[in-house]
Amino acid sequence: MPAEESRIICNIDALLSERGMTLAELSDQVGISVVNLSVLKNNRAKAIRFSTLTAICDALNVNPGDVLSVDPSP
């Protein structure tokens, strides 16, 4: 039985664009590898640590709901 696909959408790309920031700059600020941030950004992550989410929120000056949202279509 295949695992259900997640409907969680990561909005890091839009947030970076709004701030004129690169993924590499975010990586430097939060201490997370560009590869791992890319996995998250491209909606391929299976999980995210609260400490990682907190670091991203701090670096981008946003709340968790700005970083992650739920796709309304089932």
Side-chain angles (χ1 to χ4, degrees):
M1 182 165 134
E4 181 179 324
E5 273 195 45
S6 174
R7 292 178 27 231
I8 300 297
I9 304 297
C10 182
N11 302 308
I12 287 179
D13 224 9
L15 294 168
L16 289 174
S17 179
E18 289 170 8
R19 286 156 180 74
M21 183 185 288
T22 67
L23 200 60
E25 290 170 328
L26 181 61
S27 172
D28 287 342
Q29 287 188 25
V30 300
I32 306 296
S33 73
V34 172
V35 171
N36 284 338
L37 284 176
S38 182
V39 167
L40 183 61
K41 177 181 83 90
N42 292 312
N43 299 307
R44 294 190 317 258
K46 301 288 184 216
I48 184 171
R49 293 177 188 263
F50 283 162
S51 58
T52 300
L53 183 57
T54 301
I56 291 168
C57 288
D58 288 346
L60 297 175
N61 195 32
V62 295
N63 290 308
D66 300 318
V67 177
L68 302 172
S69 57
V70 178
D71 180 356
S73 58

